[in-house]
Amino acid sequence: MSLKCGIVGLPNVGKSTLFNCLSNAKAQSANFPFCTIEPNVGMITVPDERLNKLVEMCNPRSVVPATVEIVDIAGLVKGASKGEGLGNKFLANIRETDAILHVLRCFDDDNITHVDGSVDPVRDMEIINYELQLKDLETVDARLAKTLKAAQTGGDKTARMQADVLQAYKEALEAGKPARSVKFETKDEQRFARDLFLLTNKPVLYVCNVDDASAVTGNKYVEQVKEALKDDDAGIMIVAAATESDIAELETAEERAEFLEEIGLTESGVSRLIRAAYNLLDLQTYFTAGPDEVRAWTFLRGTKAPQAAGIIHTDFEKGFIRAEVIKYDDFVSLGSENAVKDAGKMSVEGKDYVVKDGDIMHFRFNV
């Protein structure tokens, strides 16, 4: 399964600079609004030392890491929900993503203009959230009128349930809360809620883009963001996009490690951000490993063995017989699949087995 994250933010907050660090694709980065009109898309690999270790041990002919698709969406402005600043197109691009990376400007620089004239990340965050909420409210209101009519005139139980969901969303949005703040108990409610594809129902990671000196400790702007989000379940992380840009220019891993050590970091913000994006949707990784290929497979936490097999091929799920499972730590400590088998550490699991992060799996199936 693939994950698509959209990078959003006001113009000139560092979105495209960050995207350029994340991806080999190079978005235009310029000191004026709307320099990124079409969404730039990049496919990036998820850093995982476990994959590197398996490659070292198996020496395979091919390696396939887990990936995340990143979309750099042009800067939103106040009034986007009404079409301002090409808003309708930008909002449609957000709707197509699975999660949102919301970049906030948390640095001072007189050479980079701010669309609203001053640096205030909380205000910037509220502008975009307000526009997304307005668009969601528009969607909810349009559906609610039709659904209420069906529920009242026909006594349709499904329509009644849908109307209740829509009403709950309407009340939250009108109170200035995102759709994700509303929780539903039944599977039918959850399914209908998910199928509405509301913008503020998407998981959000707020990325505080700071100056080089604040890359490790953060600054007053980051503290303002943390305070504003203390009651929100969204994630927050600190990245210095300009620093990450310098790191990306270095040619060797040794040079990058030395650079990071000099500024007091153990790993790049980009690596942390990619993993955070991967985890944002509760995704995990299992592996297939052998002399032909070592590959990372992405699955949703809680997935059972047959469905995990189906990620490789639908026939694997249809004809699932069993899964042979080796724990990553056992594979590394014992040195090979045969050694794991000899030690009795390989388990044979059936249809109810819940796949764990880091499992090395081999599926038996018959179609």
Side-chain angles (χ1 to χ4, degrees), residues 32-176:
F32 57 89
F34 310 124
C35 67
T36 312
I37 300 301
E38 295 297 332
N40 291 271
V41 180
M43 189 67 73
I44 57 180
T45 60
V46 178
D48 195 329
E49 284 302 318
R50 297 172 302 181
L51 181 71
N52 298 338
K53 184 63 177 179
L54 291 175
V55 169
E56 178 187 316
M57 294 176 67
C58 297
N59 192 26
R61 284 184 278 275
S62 70
V63 181
V64 184
T67 59
V68 176
E69 188 174 334
I70 300 291
V71 183
D72 179 25
I73 298 170
L76 290 169
V77 295
K78 192 179 297 182
S81 61
K82 303 301 180 185
E84 294 293 328
L86 304 180
N88 287 332
K89 189 170 185 179
F90 299 163
L91 291 170
N93 291 330
I94 296 173
R95 198 179 300 280
E96 293 171 1
T97 64
D98 301 301
I100 296 173
L101 305 179
H102 188 157
V103 182
L104 300 171
R105 177 171 171 173
C106 295
F107 64 90
D108 293 306
D109 189 333
D110 293 337
N111 294 318
I112 301 177
T113 60
H114 190 289
V115 70
D116 283 323
S118 62
V119 177
D120 186 340
V122 175
R123 176 202 60 206
D124 296 352
M125 175 176 63
E126 290 173 348
I127 287 172
I128 288 188
N129 287 342
Y130 180 68
E131 295 301 328
L132 299 183
Q133 287 166 10
L134 281 181
K135 199 65 180 178
D136 280 350
L137 189 56
E138 181 183 305
T139 300
V140 168
D141 280 341
R143 289 289 298 269
L144 185 57
K146 296 178 182 177
T147 307
L148 276 175
K149 186 176 181 180
Q152 291 168 353
T153 59
D156 188 330
K157 289 184 179 180
T158 299
R160 182 69 263 170
M161 175 274 293
Q162 294 176 350
D164 289 343
V165 169
L166 290 164
Q167 187 62 43
Y169 275 146
K170 179 178 173 67
E171 291 173 4
L173 292 165
E174 288 180 338

Side-chain angles (χ1 to χ4, degrees), residues 324-328 330-331 337 340 345-346 358-360:
E324 297 170 354
V325 183
I326 297 173
K327 297 302 177 185
Y328 170 81
D330 290 336
F331 188 89
E337 182 176 325
V340 171
K345 293 286 189 178
M346 186 182 79
D359 280 353
I360 300 170

